Amino acid sequence: MSHAPQDVSSDDAMSHRPGAERTGYHGGANWATWPINQRCRIVGNTRFELASLVDQFTRLSRTEQRVDDAETVASELFPLCDALRWITTHGAKTLADRKVGWKGRPVWMWGVHSVVQRVPLGRVLILGTWNYPLLLPGVQMAQALAAGNEVWLKPAEGTEAVSAELVRCFHRSGVPETALRLLDSSPQAAMDAQSKGVDLVVLTGSAATGKKVMHQAADTLTPSIMELSGVDAAVVLPGAKLNRVSDAVAFGLLFNSGATCIGPRRLMVSPSDQTDLLVKGLTKRLKAADAVTVHPAAREEVARLVQDAIHCGATDLTERFDGEKLLRTGRMHPVMLHNVPGDHAVLSSDIFAPVISIVPVKTKDDAVKQINNCPYRLAASVFGPTAEAGAFAKRLNVGVVTVNDMVAPTADPRLPFGGRGQSGFGVTRGPEGLLAMTTTRVIATRKGKTAMHLSPRNDADAELLSAALQWTHGSTWSRRKAALKRLTSAAGKWRALKKK
């Protein structure tokens, strides 16, 4: 495996987008030319800084929504450090050149040896999120940097302090300051950055924000990765272990005060006595749960949707929803809606609060149809016998499916993460996420003196090529034998004409 510096000149790296600042990769740092294994090691070593400052990060991460320090360590710092270690161990191999030699080479490509390289895109703009300000932008920054890009991080409003400390950890680990820059948190900062010229935009946010960002990116044909919201379903199949379902749904619904993009929003069950036991048990559990604080950006929409659903005939089984209190104080207890009209918006809206709706389904086909027809298709969970649940999972057109669990398995650093529909496109994390921070460059080298396509044309060319095609792709040995005879004759004519 070769880790020689990639040959990227300032001219190569210049952006030709309208209004772009004409600078090379990383200004004078030449970060893109550092050996791949060195970049991956430096980026990966950031985990040591994070681990040493765990108490400071938990303190900086406390907000009205994040009140449990254990959640910060478990949901952000642990998976981020694991992802950084993965980059140290596997990043260079994932980004290594792929040689394309003689094996499998078409006959007419005789003498050509090629290499496929993964090279930096240039400047990557990362638009951070407020609900997981360490894990999500942290992994995205790490992968973009390991790939050799210059990174601009625009943190979400309210996460300025923790984002600044995160960036400092990368700098202290050896990432040049010219390779990683922290912008201010205003929406204008994101627009200004795009106007100056970037080569990739990575957003974690709502679908509405994604549309605005893509609108501006479209003017300069700037590619983007959109990690957007979800309206995830938890499907309970016959034979599911009800205690596991109840534990997982309560965990996913309440984790991070309900502000998790892959938290459950629809509980799909078939009518049965077992289902009644599940609903009663889960209702009792959620009634006993403490109130949480909903992020200011989500309060009005949550209040409107839940109140309207109740007005249209739905019932809040926990009997604790108070829309006026939510708007006044930002606080609410978990809500579990029953008898929601099938076409109500609460079943297809991205809600960042502990709200879940019971959705009766008669058959598996009905559940599959409802999930695959939802505009948001980020993730889903399936509970039931392993083989049956696994078969059901393969029918879902979503980005991530967890079987007999929820949320936690997606933190595996080896796994990519991304959605479908209004939940976005493209992936971050895992080897696929690392490669998404690069573009391909092919270098094809012809060796030897023979290059038949450069020879002057003659009247035997068509016959020679046709015979070669039949010999190479003949369906039977008899046809290939006949083609070889034709090829031999055509080659003789070709050589004779060439001598004239």
Side-chain angles (χ1 to χ4, degrees), residues 141-160:
M141 283 193 295
Q143 292 194 317
L145 288 167
N149 297 288
E150 175 186 359
V151 175
W152 286 356
L153 171 64
K154 202 291 288 185
E157 293 179 321
T159 69
E160 295 86 353

Side-chain angles (χ1 to χ4, degrees), residues 155-485:
E157 293 179 321
T159 69
E160 295 86 353
V162 71
S163 298
E165 189 59 50
L166 178 61
V167 168
R168 282 193 290 269
C169 284
F170 279 98
H171 289 160
R172 286 194 293 267
S173 298
V175 175
E177 292 188 9
T178 50
L180 174 58
R181 175 182 170 189
L182 181 66
L183 308 179
D184 72 64
S185 62
S186 67
Q188 188 62 44
M191 293 186 285
D192 290 345
Q194 285 188 257
S195 297
K196 291 178 180 178
V198 297
D199 300 282
L200 176 69
V201 179
V202 183
L203 168 69
T204 304
S206 68
T209 301
K211 292 175 182 178
K212 294 177 182 177
V213 172
M214 288 181 64
H215 233 308
Q216 186 176 2
D219 291 337
T220 51
L221 296 179
T222 302
S224 59
I225 296 173
M226 295 283 126
E227 190 174 306
L228 309 179
S229 308
V231 185
D232 294 352
V235 181
V236 183
L237 302 178
K241 296 181 179 179
L242 300 188
N243 287 340
R244 170 58 63 87
V245 177
S246 181
D247 289 344
V249 171
F251 167 79
L253 189 64
L254 297 171
F255 197 75
N256 203 29
S257 298
T260 299
C261 58
I262 54 175
R265 298 292 171 246
R266 295 171 292 166
L267 182 61
M268 295 188 172
V269 295
S270 56
S272 69
D273 292 339
Q274 290 291 93
T275 296
D276 292 341
L277 288 175
L278 171 63
V279 172
K280 288 179 181 178
L282 188 56
T283 301
K284 182 178 179 180
R285 187 166 186 165
L286 296 179
K287 275 186 175 182
D290 294 332
V292 302
T293 298
V294 178
H295 193 272
R299 293 171 188 172
E300 185 175 338
E301 182 73 355
V302 173
R304 183 186 67 80
L305 285 170
V306 175
Q307 286 176 330
D308 190 69
I310 294 173
H311 176 75
C312 292
T315 302
D316 173 20
L317 296 180
T318 63
E319 301 177 319
R320 302 191 72 179
F321 180 72
D322 186 335
E324 292 183 1
K325 180 180 177 181
L326 171 59
L327 293 175
R328 186 176 69 255
T329 68
R331 303 278 290 173
M332 68 173 287
H333 287 87
V335 171
M336 188 158 70
L337 296 174
H338 190 39
N339 295 323
V340 180
D343 59 350
H344 196 276
V346 77
L347 299 177
S348 57
S349 299
D350 52 335
I351 299 174
F352 269 70
V355 177
I356 190 169
S357 300
I358 306 296
V359 180
V361 289
K362 295 181 180 179
T363 65
K364 294 179 185 178
D365 290 343
D366 185 21
V368 170
K369 183 178 179 180
Q370 291 198 47
I371 293 172
N372 291 348
N373 286 346
C374 181
Y376 294 94
R377 299 188 301 279
L378 184 56
S381 299
V382 185
F383 296 88
T386 303
E388 186 179 351
F392 184 89
K394 293 178 181 178
R395 301 176 62 189
L396 302 182
N397 183 21
V398 301
V400 180
V401 184
T402 54
V403 174
N404 292 323
D405 202 352
M406 186 174 291
V407 180
T410 64
D412 189 327
R414 301 168 296 176
L415 303 179
F417 187 82
R420 308 280 191 277
Q422 291 192 37
S423 290
F425 51 85
V427 296
T428 59
R429 295 187 255 170
E432 293 82 1
L434 179 55
L435 293 175
M437 300 295 180
T438 68
T439 188
T440 58
R441 178 173 61 199
V442 175
I443 298 178
T445 303
R446 180 175 291 278
K447 300 180 179 179
K449 298 180 180 180
T450 304
M452 293 184 64
H453 61 285
L454 300 180
S455 301
R457 295 286 299 275
N458 69 47
D459 294 340
D461 284 345
E463 178 68 9
L464 182 66
L465 290 170
S466 298
L469 178 65
Q470 291 180 332
W471 176 62
T472 304
H473 298 287
S475 61
T476 64
W477 281 111
S478 60
R479 290 184 176 181
R480 294 188 69 186
K481 183 177 179 181
L484 181 60
K485 183 177 180 180

Side-chain angles (χ1 to χ4, degrees), residues 37-103:
N37 58 350
Q38 184 180 9
R39 291 199 310 256
C40 291
R41 185 176 65 253
I42 289 172
V43 169
N45 285 349
T46 305
R47 72 186 191 276
F48 303 135
E49 295 287 335
L50 294 173
S52 68
L53 296 173
V54 58
D55 296 325
Q56 184 169 343
F57 275 111
T58 55
R59 178 178 59 80
L60 293 174
S61 297
R62 291 174 194 150
T63 64
E64 289 181 312
Q65 292 77 45
R66 176 72 60 77
V67 296
D68 185 353
D69 290 346
E71 286 191 355
T72 299
V73 179
S75 68
E76 299 222 66
L77 289 169
F78 245 120
L80 175 54
C81 288
D82 286 340
L84 292 169
R85 181 168 56 185
W86 183 90
I87 288 174
T88 299
T89 307
H90 302 284
K93 183 177 180 180
T94 303
L95 295 169
D97 294 351
R98 177 168 62 88
K99 294 182 179 179
V100 183
W102 63 269
K103 189 176 182 180

